[in-house]
Amino acid sequence: MLEFDLTEEQRALQSLARDFAQREIQPVALELDGMDVRESFPWDIVKKGSALGLRTMALPPEWGGVGADLLTQSIMIDELAYADMSCCKIFSQCWKVSRHLYMAGTEDQKNRYIPSFVEDDTFVLGQAITEPDVGSDNSGYYDPPAGQGLALRAERQGDYFVLNGMKHMIANGPVAKLFVVTARTDPTVSQNNGVSRFIVPSDTPGFSIGRIHDKFGFRAYPNAELIFEDVKIPVEDLLGGKEGPASEETYMRTVGSIESSSHTMGVARAAFDAAVKFANERVQGGKPIIQHQAVQNTLAELYVALQAGRTLLWRTAWTSTYKEPDAALAGACKVFCAEATRKITQGAMELFGGVGVMRDLPVQKYVRDSLIMLHHAGGTQSMVKLKIGKTLESRYQQGLPVV
Ligand SMILES: Cc1cc2nc3c(=O)[nH]c(=O)nc-3n(C[C@H](O)[C@H](O)[C@H](O)COP(=O)(O)OP(=O)(O)OC[C@H]3O[C@@H](n4cnc5c(N)ncnc54)[C@H](O)[C@@H]3O)c2cc1C
């Protein structure tokens, strides 16, 4: 039976995230958004959040975390992203990558990297796949043949792999101390069979940061180019100790979809609350605008989208936490929540009238932040839909239940 009750522990973590978000993030979110992206990284928030365990919470207790499962993470993201999606995503990117290290890493890799991550409040993580010429090719929908697709080369030379090439748009790129990097280990086969993942500390000789991208939303969560020039990675840092396809890939995509949907719904809820407050306080035509039927109708439509998105998100997170991760359901959740949030944030901004587009109120920021989510997180909306379609075809062909 599907239940929406939270456990006591989940409630405690939800309230920890809410208190932190309202106390530390909300007051500075607009200011961070307006800053130069090369200077806005919120180190103070990262350090304070880390001291409360927010950076490391996806790790199990024996590795220094609290073992927050996907549903718990989703509930916490809802609170943090309500205050600011960028600050929230800095933490949750650490959850995703540390989860990946923990799940896929060898015991030796975990022992060498996880303690340093846990002990250092400024240890931020990143994941590097996308390259200037290779984006949707990585979505899991395509499998580029030999000679096409990912070009960052990892060539085996004795006890090392030598990495040459570049990545771009990598989140936490300018600040992360460690990346999980996908590179081509065998250029003679298709991409799916010829790539492997490496643990790359950012102080490795030959590694450098290129351009820092200037986005129109989601601004305090920085993206950058990563440059690899003869970067020597010892064979012990091949993630999981083996080359080729990763068994955890589908699960990690499911995690990514749930995580991004949680961010969008947090922003949507913030925009919706702001709209209801404004509509109650703004008087036109002799009464608060919420008493005009057209405004009530608009708010009702936004409310429908918000509740539908939240319900789908919770069901998806619950299913992936307590049952089997379902990639098609997670994809549907990502597509629906991103679209719903576009509708809710834009609807809220319009309801504010002229002040809606002014930078001194956060409602225009919610729109800019939410639009970014249509462009990434497991792929663009189009690519996620294509993958859903492919999964449905395959389920039907195999005689499996489609839904
Ligand atoms: C804020 C942000 C954070 C990011 N963080 C990271 C990160 O941490 N690590 C990382 O590796 N990457 C990251 N990315 C990159 C992201 O994953 C890619 O931008 C995304 O996968 C799309 O790739 P692309 O930009 O190269 O677009 P392209 O692949 O060039 O796509 C261009 C257009 O073609 C469309 N398209 C392609 N094929 C089809 C088709 N068959 N049918 C219909 N339409 C199609 C796409 O939907 C899109 O609209 C981030 C991006 C952003 C914006």
Side-chain angles (χ1 to χ4, degrees):
M1 193 178 77
L2 182 63
E3 289 184 8
F4 290 99
D5 271 350
L6 300 182
T7 63
E8 229 169 84
E9 195 190 357
Q10 284 168 333
R11 278 190 199 287
L13 288 170
Q14 180 185 41
S15 105
L16 180 138
R18 184 183 303 140
D19 292 348
F20 181 74
Q22 294 308 310
R23 191 179 63 248
E24 302 291 346
I25 301 179
Q26 184 95 48
V28 294
L30 258 188
E31 186 188 336
L32 293 173
D33 173 69
M35 287 170 72
D36 185 311
V37 289
R38 285 161 300 196
E39 287 159 14
S40 61
F41 191 78
W43 282 116
D44 190 42
I45 288 174
V46 171
K47 286 183 206 160
K48 285 180 178 162
S50 177
L52 292 174
L54 282 176
R55 200 176 44 88
T56 50
M57 58 194 349
L59 290 169
E62 62 273 26
W63 285 98
V66 298
D69 60 30
L70 289 180
L71 179 59
T72 308
Q73 288 181 23
S74 179
I75 293 159
M76 295 178 74
I77 290 172
D78 183 56
E79 297 296 341
L80 295 167
Y82 186 96
D84 182 49
M85 202 167 89
S86 294
C87 291
C88 176
K89 190 71 173 73
I90 293 165
F91 289 116
S92 76
Q93 188 70 351
C94 292
W95 303 349
K96 186 165 77 181
V97 181
S98 61
R99 180 187 284 270
H100 194 183
L101 281 173
Y102 166 72
M103 276 181 62
T106 61
E107 282 307 301
D108 167 60
Q109 289 167 347
K110 289 192 252 193
N111 281 318
R112 278 187 298 118
Y113 288 111
I114 291 183
S116 2
F117 164 65
V118 171
E119 283 155 21
D120 176 356
D121 284 335
T122 63
F123 203 126
V124 170
L125 300 170
Q127 176 189 51
I129 306 170
T130 308
E131 297 177 6
D133 293 329
V134 196
S136 300
D137 277 343
N138 301 309
S139 63
Y141 184 72
Y142 300 117
D143 184 14
Q148 293 177 29
L150 283 177
L152 176 72
R153 181 77 172 98
E155 192 177 356
R156 178 84 186 247
Q157 291 180 12
D159 291 341
Y160 290 89
F161 284 88
V162 180
L163 274 58
N164 277 292
M166 75 177 291
K167 298 287 179 187
H168 83 160
M169 295 196 211
I170 305 310
N172 281 342
V175 290
K177 290 195 175 172
L178 185 146
F179 295 89
V180 172
V181 177
T182 305
R184 198 92 180 203
T185 35
D186 185 351
T188 66
V189 296
S190 75
Q191 179 173 296
N192 286 355
N193 294 308
V195 297
S196 308
R197 286 134 300 274
F198 294 89
I199 302 171
V200 180
S202 61
D203 59 0
T204 311
F207 176 89
S208 60
I209 307 300
R211 209 161 44 101
I212 297 178
H213 304 285
D214 195 356
K215 309 190 294 296
F216 85 125
F218 210 9
R219 285 178 57 77
Y221 179 56
N223 293 68
E225 293 173 342
L226 310 184
I227 318 282
F228 299 78
E229 292 169 308
D230 289 331
V231 175
K232 284 174 78 179
I233 301 297
V235 286
E236 300 84 61
D237 284 346
L238 178 64
L239 185 64
K242 74 170 189 58
E243 293 182 39
S247 54
E248 72 278 7
E249 175 140 351
T250 306
Y251 178 72
M252 290 308 297
R253 285 186 191 281
T254 305
V255 171
S257 294
I258 293 171
E259 195 208 12
S260 72
S261 307
S262 312
H263 282 87
T264 52
M265 293 322 295
V267 174
R269 188 165 63 83
F272 183 75
D273 279 355
V276 172
K277 180 172 189 293
F278 181 82
N280 271 283
E281 292 171 358
R282 178 71 177 166
V283 175
Q284 288 295 290
K287 52 187 176 185
I289 60 170
I290 198 165
Q291 290 175 15
H292 296 298
Q293 284 190 337
V295 172
Q296 288 176 353
N297 212 25
T298 299
L299 285 173
E301 275 184 23
L302 304 188
Y303 181 75
V304 169
L306 183 72
Q307 292 296 22
R310 282 168 67 79
T311 308
L312 177 57
L313 172 60
W314 277 38
R315 174 169 174 234
T316 309
W318 184 89
T319 306
S320 296
T321 303
Y322 302 121
K323 302 281 175 188
E324 279 293 295
D326 181 334
L329 179 62
C333 180
K334 191 263 175 187
V335 169
F336 185 87
C337 291
E339 270 305 334
T341 300
R342 182 221 297 258
K343 176 178 173 162
I344 294 161
T345 55
Q346 284 188 349
M349 186 172 74
E350 274 183 53
L351 209 135
F352 270 73
V355 292
V357 296
M358 302 301 171
R359 279 194 182 268
D360 41 4
L361 288 185
V363 70
Q364 46 77 34
K365 173 179 172 294
Y366 299 144
V367 176
R368 288 184 285 108
D369 285 351
S370 72
L371 288 176
I372 304 277
M373 286 307 214
L374 300 165
H375 293 252
H376 84 123
T380 60
Q381 295 288 91
S382 295
M383 296 316 297
V384 178
K385 286 182 204 167
L386 289 173
K387 280 191 294 173
I388 294 171
K390 209 175 188 179
T391 307
L392 301 184
E393 178 192 2
S394 147
R395 284 180 183 170
Y396 181 80
Q397 295 295 343
Q398 293 176 65
L400 296 169
V402 172
V403 178

